Amino acid sequence: MVRQFCYMLLCLVIMIIVPITNGISSRPPSPGYFPSKKFRSMRFSQGFRNLWGPQHQNLNNHALSIWLDRTSGSGFKSVRPFRSGYFGTSIKLQRGYTAGVITSFYLSNSQVHPGHHDEVDMEFLGTTFGKPYVLQTNVYIRGSGDGNIIGREMKFHLWFDPTKGFHHYAIFWSPKEIIFLVDDIPIRRYPRKSAATFPQRPMWLYGSIWDASSWATENGKYKANYNYQPFVGQYTNFKASGCSAYAPLSCHPVSISPNRSGGLSRKQYYVMAWVQKHYKIYDYCKDRNRNHSLTPECWLRG
Ligand SMILES: *[C@@H]1O[C@H](CO)[C@@H](O)[C@H](O)[C@H]1NC(C)=O
Ligand SMILES: *[C@@H]1O[C@H](CO)[C@@H](O)[C@H](O)[C@H]1NC(C)=O
């Protein structure tokens, strides 16, 4: 009788604990290679300038804070444009209610090609109390504004709390592929399948915090609430290594892999698949509500 009771208790404990630990502490396996350690950091002032909202930007000991309040957000931009490279920064996000707020790190040439620009985004979509941030990755090719906007969004949850400390977020852009990385773990690869589906014109590097209440959080259901202002994004450990637009054509694209042939290693591919299996929450190619006629890279996938 006592023994039976103990078995029951044991079963109960297992039933409760297993789902909890499964849900929380699953960290990705090691990628085996750490590009963020390979490229040197630069100071904000060495490579960037304020672009807008200068009164909402503060540099303290090489850490940059930008913030959004009722009056304005803020953004910065690299001094040089690039043709390819590894672009990274460590970011710490605001805690609490941040719905409607976007904290971003991205490549773009929108200022020189308005209406038909290229863009590669890492955007943190703010959230409501108790819900995790969403990291949205996106690629635009020659599109914006003219009602012909075609985003190529893939969204993720993270395996850590991005408000508790700095984590390194990076975009790798070579003539063959774009790879998004979080703490050196490749989370998404966007290969060049054709000239029409790949950004090829020089882009600048940007960061910003702004109010995107109309769509950012659960498709606009939750808006920015300025009772919680200011919303602060902290950036440090800036990296931009590659071929600037002014470099000779012989400039060789950098690599983020131990593999001499250039592509990701088998281990890096494995970790990327692992992250997509456990943390990917949206994939534009799998969205049944979308018309895929203009995204041919989706046609071959299931
Ligand atoms: C190197 O890359 C190639 C092509 O992407 C791949 O087939 C090969 O398995 C990789 N080698 C290692 C050691 O990961
Ligand atoms: C999808 O988009 C293409 C190109 O814009 C258009 O010709 C086609 O009619 C659309 N299909 C549907 C089902 O809306």
Side-chain angles (χ1 to χ4, degrees), residues 259 261 263-267 269:
N259 196 333
S261 73
L264 292 180
S265 72
R266 223 170 304 170
K267 214 165 177 181
Y269 272 117

mmCIF file of all heavy atoms in Angstrom, residues 259 261 263-267 269, ligand 1:
data_model
loop_
_atom_site.group_PDB
_atom_site.id
_atom_site.type_symbol
_atom_site.label_atom_id
_atom_site.label_comp_id
_atom_site.label_asym_id
_atom_site.label_seq_id
_atom_site.Cartn_x
_atom_site.Cartn_y
_atom_site.Cartn_z
ATOM 1 N N ASN A 259 35.273 25.649 -42.688
ATOM 2 C CA ASN A 259 35.345 24.843 -43.895
ATOM 3 C C ASN A 259 36.070 25.613 -44.999
ATOM 4 O O ASN A 259 35.648 26.708 -45.360
ATOM 5 C CB ASN A 259 33.904 24.524 -44.324
ATOM 6 C CG ASN A 259 33.845 23.406 -45.314
ATOM 7 O OD1 ASN A 259 34.796 23.184 -46.045
ATOM 8 N ND2 ASN A 259 32.723 22.708 -45.353
ATOM 9 N N SER A 261 36.175 25.242 -48.090
ATOM 10 C CA SER A 261 35.415 25.461 -49.315
ATOM 11 C C SER A 261 34.424 26.614 -49.161
ATOM 12 O O SER A 261 33.731 26.973 -50.103
ATOM 13 C CB SER A 261 34.669 24.193 -49.715
ATOM 14 O OG SER A 261 33.583 23.998 -48.840
ATOM 15 N N GLY A 263 31.435 27.200 -47.577
ATOM 16 C CA GLY A 263 30.084 27.008 -47.008
ATOM 17 C C GLY A 263 30.133 26.647 -45.535
ATOM 18 O O GLY A 263 31.195 26.349 -44.990
ATOM 19 N N LEU A 264 28.992 26.683 -44.875
ATOM 20 C CA LEU A 264 28.920 26.294 -43.471
ATOM 21 C C LEU A 264 29.403 24.857 -43.295
ATOM 22 O O LEU A 264 29.250 24.026 -44.189
ATOM 23 C CB LEU A 264 27.474 26.384 -42.978
ATOM 24 C CG LEU A 264 26.838 27.776 -42.857
ATOM 25 C CD1 LEU A 264 25.410 27.643 -42.344
ATOM 26 C CD2 LEU A 264 27.645 28.669 -41.938
ATOM 27 N N SER A 265 29.936 24.591 -42.128
ATOM 28 C CA SER A 265 30.380 23.224 -41.846
ATOM 29 C C SER A 265 29.163 22.344 -41.554
ATOM 30 O O SER A 265 28.065 22.835 -41.311
ATOM 31 C CB SER A 265 31.308 23.223 -40.635
ATOM 32 O OG SER A 265 30.542 23.469 -39.466
ATOM 33 N N ARG A 266 29.405 21.064 -41.538
ATOM 34 C CA ARG A 266 28.326 20.128 -41.248
ATOM 35 C C ARG A 266 27.727 20.397 -39.865
ATOM 36 O O ARG A 266 26.532 20.346 -39.664
ATOM 37 C CB ARG A 266 28.879 18.702 -41.311
ATOM 38 C CG ARG A 266 27.942 17.748 -42.031
ATOM 39 C CD ARG A 266 28.631 16.435 -42.275
ATOM 40 N NE ARG A 266 29.887 16.609 -43.019
ATOM 41 C CZ ARG A 266 30.793 15.642 -43.197
ATOM 42 N NH1 ARG A 266 30.583 14.454 -42.678
ATOM 43 N NH2 ARG A 266 31.889 15.872 -43.889
ATOM 44 N N LYS A 267 28.615 20.718 -38.921
ATOM 45 C CA LYS A 267 28.170 21.002 -37.553
ATOM 46 C C LYS A 267 27.296 22.257 -37.516
ATOM 47 O O LYS A 267 26.285 22.311 -36.811
ATOM 48 C CB LYS A 267 29.412 21.202 -36.672
ATOM 49 C CG LYS A 267 29.241 20.723 -35.268
ATOM 50 C CD LYS A 267 30.599 20.624 -34.593
ATOM 51 C CE LYS A 267 30.427 20.197 -33.147
ATOM 52 N NZ LYS A 267 31.706 20.102 -32.458
ATOM 53 N N TYR A 269 25.494 23.472 -39.992
ATOM 54 C CA TYR A 269 24.198 23.113 -40.595
ATOM 55 C C TYR A 269 23.324 22.350 -39.604
ATOM 56 O O TYR A 269 22.111 22.560 -39.508
ATOM 57 C CB TYR A 269 24.396 22.245 -41.848
ATOM 58 C CG TYR A 269 24.559 23.044 -43.122
ATOM 59 C CD1 TYR A 269 25.743 22.986 -43.843
ATOM 60 C CD2 TYR A 269 23.524 23.839 -43.608
ATOM 61 C CE1 TYR A 269 25.900 23.711 -45.018
ATOM 62 C CE2 TYR A 269 23.672 24.566 -44.783
ATOM 63 C CZ TYR A 269 24.861 24.497 -45.480
ATOM 64 O OH TYR A 269 25.007 25.222 -46.635
HETATM 65 C C1 LIG B 1 32.279 21.758 -46.201
HETATM 66 O O1 LIG B 1 31.267 22.306 -47.046
HETATM 67 C C2 LIG B 1 30.754 21.416 -48.011
HETATM 68 C C3 LIG B 1 29.811 22.203 -48.906
HETATM 69 O O2 LIG B 1 28.939 23.008 -48.179
HETATM 70 C C4 LIG B 1 30.076 20.240 -47.299
HETATM 71 O O3 LIG B 1 29.586 19.308 -48.244
HETATM 72 C C5 LIG B 1 31.087 19.545 -46.385
HETATM 73 O O4 LIG B 1 30.437 18.534 -45.644
HETATM 74 C C6 LIG B 1 31.713 20.547 -45.439
HETATM 75 N N1 LIG B 1 32.768 19.934 -44.650
HETATM 76 C C7 LIG B 1 32.750 19.856 -43.312
HETATM 77 C C8 LIG B 1 33.948 19.230 -42.663
HETATM 78 O O5 LIG B 1 31.847 20.277 -42.628
#
